[in-house]
Amino acid sequence: MEPAFDDIAAVLRAPPARLRARYGALALRLAESLATGIAIGIGFAIVHAFAG
């Protein structure tokens, strides 16, 4: 049981994640979602152009 407490203590002593690293992942995820939305929109525009 003591090794588990040692692991918890080590995690609590570790420095917190850098703000830039945390928000960098969020920005990358938002950019990915934006690119996917643009690709879907262009696909719908092409289908609409050929259908109409």
Side-chain angles (χ1 to χ4, degrees):
M1 193 67 171
E2 283 188 33
F5 289 124
D6 291 339
D7 292 341
I8 292 172
V11 168
L12 291 176
R13 282 193 303 265
R18 289 185 6 204
L19 195 62
R20 184 174 186 180
R22 186 179 305 164
Y23 286 114
L26 178 63
L28 186 61
R29 185 78 174 137
L30 288 174
E32 175 189 354
S33 297
L34 180 63
T36 302
I38 289 172
I40 291 171
I42 290 172
F44 277 128
I46 290 171
V47 169
H48 184 69
F50 282 120

